[in-house]
Amino acid sequence: MSEALHMPQPALEDLIAMLWREGFKVLGPVARDGAVGFDEVRKVSDLAVAMRDTQEPGRYRLGQGAAGEIFGVVNGAFSLKPFFFAPEETLLEAKRERRGFKVSEVAPVAPPLAFIGVRACDLAALAVQDRIFLHDRFHDTHYQARRKDAFLVAVNCARSAPTCFCVSMKTGPEATTGFDLSLTELEQGFVTRSGSAAGEAIAAKLGLSAAGQNEVVSAKARIDGCAAGMQRGLDPTDLPRLLYAEAENPRWKDAASRCLSCTNCTMVCPTCFCHAVVDQEELDGNMSRRVRKWDSCFSLEHAHIHGINFRPKIENRYRQWLTHKLAAWIDQFGTSGCVGCGRCITWCPVGIDLTAEVAAIRAHPVKR
Amino acid sequence: MICPARITGRRTETAGIYTFSMRLVDNAVRRAYSFRAGQFNMLYAFGVGEVPISIVSDPGDPEHLEHTIRIAGRVTGVMAGWKVGDVVGVRGPYGNGWPVEEARGRDVVIITGGLGCAPVVGLINYIFRRRDQYGELHILHGVRTPNDLLYRERFDEWRRAPRTRVYLTADQPDKSWRYKIGVVTELFDELTVPPSSIVMMCGPEVMMRFAAHALRQKGIGDDAIHLSLERRMECAVGLCGHCQYREHFVCKSGPVFSYRTVRELFGLSGI
Ligand SMILES: Cc1cc2nc3c(=O)[nH]c(=O)nc-3n(C[C@H](O)[C@H](O)[C@H](O)COP(=O)(O)OP(=O)(O)OC[C@H]3O[C@@H](n4cnc5c(N)ncnc54)[C@H](O)[C@@H]3O)c2cc1C
Ligand code: SF4
Ligand code: SF4
Ligand code: FES
């Protein structure tokens, strides 16, 4: 890891201004509608300063935090996902011509984005989405257009939400890769490190000095304390085999009896990539757009073909979701589909907790 | 990218099933296009949608594409109206196709069930065009009622060909039915093949499961049994997630799988 630098609090203001000047649209965790979400920030006070979140299964509240603390809120419903994998976008346009039609690709409007305050789990999730959209057999030009110039300023977690379980998924609480700059918030300013050439260049422009030994120690202590205090965990041992073997475990039915199949978990999940592709004709019939929209394996049509629905029951769909996340994903992409951000637990209206579901299946297997 | 193709021929196979010949409009695209037996295209009806349809024409003549479409619903319903001269969209080819190389020199057993199975017709035609490269050919086909037997003349034609046997069965026969009665697996009593044979099948998954069991009894390994699966497809490039079959993307690593690869999943419902 690169050298630890000291960033006084006012330098964060400079960083935001500098990124705007460099041509980025700068986004950070902003409080809105009772939660934080990435939104435009022009100055530090736009961020959710002096606030903290309370999270538990099925519940999220924003409240007052420590005075002066800038990154006190762990996360909100939305990760970076919607910024790179758009919830809805046009891929192609087909225009009718005298004989037939002509198809053209629609390039996305993709200004370079800079994110301030990205958590380690969300960086890990971004790497998972990169693997899917950029490093598979077919690569996605729309995702790439949005992703290629992104500048990422990570924040190491000094505090976790009770729904977080990044430690067991080995994705946090410290950002170790995938960022341009990382910050660890202290009482007085930050310890910062660069993780890329672009990050190093920005750090140089900010004219930061080396961090003092005591600062480095206290930054590490905060991160270690966060890791040690994490309440939730998911034992990843042998997961593909366990979930594949337990396809008929009665727990699936049990979870399904609580699940509303509302799709919330898949919408807030930073790695879920399922989408629908639909052709929408304009009213005059001369133009048609191919649009892709987020879809969910909890929707009834997801596994429907003419005359057959392969996953008609909620228990089929809940099993599909969890087995895909934690098992099939590893076979498909060499990485887990879960980074332990806890969003699906918090934003489930009935508080279904995947860590508890897996633990129950592990504790009561029906197959040896 | 969707490539415009002009319909050059339309043939009615039976009510609701049409075979369209088509030619990619752009010269460069057409010359660069090639495919393997058993691959599919995403066919696009302007403004309506896109669906996966197998290529049934011969890969030896890739400039000439043929697709047999059974009218099922929203998109195929519009395709029923395609006429010679119309311009439609083609995106592909996708999927892995049948293991025709692996099958070379071996006896081939082809099993289908249910309503006409287009991917298998293309396969049978492929083998007939290269008949000396393959051993005995056994074609087993099961239908529910005699009315469901599409391509009756083709079965008769195949039956008359040398080194070829055709086995037909109907679940609910009528008086005119001259063949076997019962489900496809009933046909296995009559089938004598060496364990070195290769099997390719398509149809309802329960049928394929029973067939695979019966073939095991004949000493045919799970590796030598190949099946074509059908799942919802919206992208065909492994990104939309709809075609997932546990760890498999049917569009990307299928639609043809060896029984060995999927046998564990075959007994499970709701996968
Ligand atoms: C690899 C593959 C090869 C196929 N080859 C042929 C073929 O050669 N000839 C043929 O007639 N049919 C074939 N099919 C089936 C064909 O794709 C469906 O009949 C068609 O998608 C139905 O669309 P629809 O809009 O008319 O039906 P609707 O029932 O209105 O379906 C609406 C949507 O559901 C999805 N869908 C429905 N049924 C299927 C299905 N069976 N498979 C995949 N998606 C489906 C599609 O996205 C479709 O647009 C194949 C399917 C697959 C997966
Ligand atoms: S499955 Fe849940 S905890 Fe895991 S990454 Fe998705 S939303 Fe976060
Ligand atoms: S959020 Fe909860 S209720 Fe909704 S689909 Fe997910 S598990 Fe089911
Ligand atoms: S059809 Fe989209 S992933 Fe296979």
Side-chain angles (χ1 to χ4, degrees), chain A residues 70-130:
Chain A
I70 295 171
F71 297 105
V73 181
V74 175
N75 61 16
F78 288 99
S79 60
L80 302 179
K81 179 169 88 168
F83 297 96
F84 301 123
F85 168 36
E88 177 165 345
E89 66 180 320
T90 301
L91 301 178
L92 303 172
E93 277 177 3
K95 287 199 180 74
R96 238 188 242 289
E97 292 191 329
R98 204 165 48 81
R99 312 189 61 187
F101 57 87
K102 189 174 177 336
V103 182
S104 43
E105 266 187 62
V106 177
V109 182
L113 301 177
F115 293 89
I116 308 254
V118 184
R119 305 285 164 166
C121 58
D122 283 352
L123 286 176
L126 193 58
V128 171
Q129 288 237 315
D130 286 353

Side-chain angles (χ1 to χ4, degrees), chain B:
Chain B
M1 189 49 136
I2 305 172
C3 302
R6 177 157 286 115
I7 305 280
T8 56
R10 173 191 162 110
R11 188 171 70 236
T12 302
E13 302 288 351
T14 183
I17 302 189
Y18 309 94
T19 297
F20 297 98
S21 306
M22 52 188 81
R23 198 176 147 81
L24 289 160
V25 173
D26 186 274
N27 289 330
V29 169
R30 189 175 64 249
R31 284 190 205 110
Y33 187 93
S34 70
F35 65 93
R36 297 188 298 275
Q39 284 193 293
F40 64 92
N41 277 320
M42 293 300 280
L43 293 189
Y44 170 65
F46 182 88
V48 182
E50 197 180 47
V51 289
I53 304 287
S54 310
I55 311 170
V56 292
S57 50
D58 198 87
D61 180 14
E63 295 203 13
H64 173 84
L65 287 174
E66 263 184 44
H67 289 281
T68 297
I69 303 178
R70 184 164 74 86
I71 307 317
R74 200 175 61 83
V75 180
T76 51
V78 170
M79 292 173 171
W82 281 355
K83 304 179 301 297
V84 170
D86 283 356
V87 173
V88 305
V90 172
R91 186 165 69 89
Y94 294 116
N96 53 357
W98 295 110
V100 289
E101 301 298 326
E102 212 181 306
R104 209 168 272 163
R106 296 158 75 176
D107 287 2
V108 180
V109 180
I110 294 175
I111 306 170
T112 69
L115 281 168
C117 210
V120 154
V121 177
L123 172 66
I124 297 171
N125 290 339
Y126 179 94
I127 292 174
F128 272 112
R129 286 211 184 83
R130 298 156 183 81
R131 195 62 193 88
D132 53 339
Q133 295 176 16
Y134 296 90
E136 299 281 316
L137 178 61
H138 301 267
I139 303 170
L140 288 74
H141 182 57
V143 289
R144 207 164 45 84
T145 73
N147 282 338
D148 295 339
L149 180 62
L150 313 170
Y151 313 118
R152 194 180 283 257
E153 323 75 62
R154 285 200 212 169
F155 280 104
D156 288 338
E157 200 181 300
W158 293 330
R159 187 191 300 280
R160 287 191 297 270
R163 297 194 295 133
T164 306
R165 289 197 61 184
V166 172
Y167 312 71
L168 296 174
T169 183
D171 225 358
Q172 298 161 20
D174 58 15
K175 282 197 217 76
S176 71
W177 188 251
R178 294 174 285 133
Y179 314 105
K180 193 137 181 118
I181 298 169
V183 295
V184 154
T185 40
E186 303 275 331
L187 296 169
F188 286 91
D189 304 340
E190 298 169 25
L191 179 73
T192 330
V193 287
S196 62
S197 308
I198 187 165
V199 181
M200 297 184 236
M201 52 181 163
C202 115
E205 290 178 13
V206 268
M207 175 213 91
M208 295 200 279
R209 189 163 99 233
F210 284 114
H213 267 276
L215 291 159
R216 269 185 171 171
Q217 317 282 293
K218 297 192 186 289
I220 298 177
D222 289 353
D223 277 342
I225 302 172
H226 302 269
L227 14 99
S228 183
L229 297 185
E230 219 175 294
R231 281 294 179 279
R232 187 185 186 97
M233 292 186 183
E234 300 197 11
C235 73
V237 295
L239 293 179
C240 77
H242 288 91
C243 69
Q244 285 178 94
Y245 188 42
R246 209 177 67 184
E247 70 271 37
H248 310 290
F249 285 95
V250 174
C251 68
K252 198 169 67 167
S253 40
V256 179
F257 293 91
S258 80
Y259 185 58
R260 189 183 140 104
T261 310
V262 295
R263 67 186 166 202
E264 187 191 333
L265 301 176
F266 249 53
L268 298 171
S269 69
I271 286 283

Side-chain angles (χ1 to χ4, degrees), chain A residues 96 136-138 244 273-277 279 288 290 295 301-302 304-306 310-311 316 319 324 332, chain B residues 44 46-47 49-50 72 87 230-232 234 237 239-242 244 246-247 249 252 269-271:
Chain A
R96 238 188 242 289
D136 206 55
R137 194 183 322 163
F138 299 92
Y244 290 171
F273 59 88
C274 280
H275 58 265
V277 181
D279 291 294
S288 177
R290 172 156 301 170
D295 195 3
E301 305 78 41
H302 196 269
H304 177 265
I305 69 168
H306 186 77
F310 292 105
R311 295 192 279 272
N316 307 145
R319 179 180 65 187
H324 184 212
Q332 292 170 347
Chain B
Y44 170 65
F46 182 88
E50 197 180 47
V87 173
E230 219 175 294
R231 281 294 179 279
R232 187 185 186 97
E234 300 197 11
V237 295
L239 293 179
C240 77
H242 288 91
Q244 285 178 94
R246 209 177 67 184
E247 70 271 37
F249 285 95
K252 198 169 67 167
S269 69
I271 286 283

Side-chain angles (χ1 to χ4, degrees), chain A residues 27-208:
Chain A
L27 303 133
V30 168
R32 50 157 198 222
D33 309 326
V36 295
F38 282 100
D39 215 333
E40 210 174 292
V41 286
R42 297 266 171 191
K43 50 193 186 312
V44 171
S45 60
D46 291 339
L47 295 164
V49 181
M51 296 185 112
R52 280 200 176 175
D53 49 333
T54 325
Q55 299 196 42
E56 56 189 75
R59 188 167 180 275
Y60 184 100
R61 292 288 180 279
L62 264 193
Q64 218 176 11
E69 189 181 37
I70 295 171
F71 297 105
V73 181
V74 175
N75 61 16
F78 288 99
S79 60
L80 302 179
K81 179 169 88 168
F83 297 96
F84 301 123
F85 168 36
E88 177 165 345
E89 66 180 320
T90 301
L91 301 178
L92 303 172
E93 277 177 3
K95 287 199 180 74
R96 238 188 242 289
E97 292 191 329
R98 204 165 48 81
R99 312 189 61 187
F101 57 87
K102 189 174 177 336
V103 182
S104 43
E105 266 187 62
V106 177
V109 182
L113 301 177
F115 293 89
I116 308 254
V118 184
R119 305 285 164 166
C121 58
D122 283 352
L123 286 176
L126 193 58
V128 171
Q129 288 237 315
D130 286 353
R131 168 66 187 82
I132 295 159
F133 287 113
L134 300 179
H135 308 300
D136 206 55
R137 194 183 322 163
F138 299 92
H139 100 198
D140 189 80
T141 52
H142 281 239
Y143 181 90
Q144 187 185 29
R146 294 196 169 88
R147 175 72 178 91
K148 66 180 197 312
D149 298 319
F151 190 92
L152 301 163
V153 181
V155 165
N156 294 317
C157 295
R159 184 191 143 245
S160 67
T163 42
C164 295
F165 56 103
C166 62
V167 170
S168 58
M169 303 315 283
K170 301 191 170 60
T171 58
E174 182 176 20
T176 54
T177 179
F179 57 83
D180 295 293
L181 284 177
S182 80
L183 308 175
T184 309
E185 187 169 7
L186 303 175
E187 309 273 295
Q188 303 295 325
F190 305 90
V191 168
T192 181
R193 295 175 194 268
S194 54
S196 70
E200 220 159 286
I202 293 282
K205 281 191 198 167
L206 287 170
L208 305 177

